[in-house]
């Protein structure tokens, strides 16, 4: 379940949390549901995967704030979910981590 937590934002701004996608799917047509956010790990350099959008824009905004305010000198890249990535995104673990670091260093310039 660490891959599929769902937060539903309702039209009045309230949030409803589901522990896993299987619990949320029956509520997909809830009349008050305005947006769903589903926790799923994809490489940070991926802006979209098929029909799904990532939260890469949040990472980019965080990097902007980091440049402006220098609030940390440390960043962490999670690697525990590489084994469950779709086949099209899988590379050797070392290569995959290298791609993540290269993207971060390129964006941070």
């Amino acid at each position: 379940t660490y891959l599929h937590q769902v937060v539903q934002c309702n039209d009045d701004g309230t949030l409803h949390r589901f522990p896993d996608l299987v619990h949320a799917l029956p509520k997909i047509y809830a009349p008050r549901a305005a947006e769903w956010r589903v926790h799923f790990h994809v490489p940070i350099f991926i802006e979209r995967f098929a029909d799904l959008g990532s939260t890469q824009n949040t990472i980019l905004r965080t990097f902007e704030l980091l440049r402006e305010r220098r609030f940390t000198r440390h960043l962490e890249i999670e690697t525990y979910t590489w084994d469950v990535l779709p086949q099209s995104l899988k590379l050797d673990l070392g290569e995959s981590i290298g791609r993540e670091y290269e993207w971060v260093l390129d964006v941070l310039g």
Side-chain angles (χ1 to χ4, degrees):
T1 61
Y2 65 90
L3 287 178
H4 305 119
Q5 299 97 351
V6 177
V7 177
Q8 174 183 300
C9 181
N10 296 312
D11 54 10
D12 64 358
T14 59
L15 302 176
H16 184 84
R17 299 176 193 283
F18 299 93
D20 199 350
L21 188 57
V22 70
H23 303 288
L25 283 174
K27 312 279 193 225
I28 196 166
Y29 296 111
R32 296 181 53 212
E35 177 182 79
W36 274 15
R37 294 247 173 159
V38 181
H39 181 167
F40 190 86
H41 289 258
V42 296
I44 59 177
F45 56 84
I46 300 291
E47 184 178 355
R48 297 198 64 76
F49 182 73
D51 292 333
L52 302 174
S54 75
T55 56
Q56 184 188 77
N57 60 335
T58 302
I59 295 171
L60 295 171
R61 179 64 186 130
T62 301
F63 287 173
E64 288 174 23
L65 290 171
L66 178 61
R67 274 192 223 81
E68 293 169 9
R69 300 186 188 161
R70 299 290 181 190
F71 52 85
T72 188
R73 293 179 57 206
H74 303 279
L75 298 173
E76 177 181 331
I77 296 174
E78 291 182 353
T79 59
Y80 66 91
T81 58
W82 290 107
D83 289 340
V84 296
L85 284 174
Q87 195 62 38
S88 64
L89 294 177
K90 280 187 181 181
L91 291 179
D92 168 78
L93 183 59
E95 290 178 66
S96 295
I97 293 170
R99 281 194 305 180
E100 296 283 283
Y101 275 99
E102 286 174 17
W103 184 83
V104 169
L105 293 173
D106 184 53
V107 170
L108 289 176

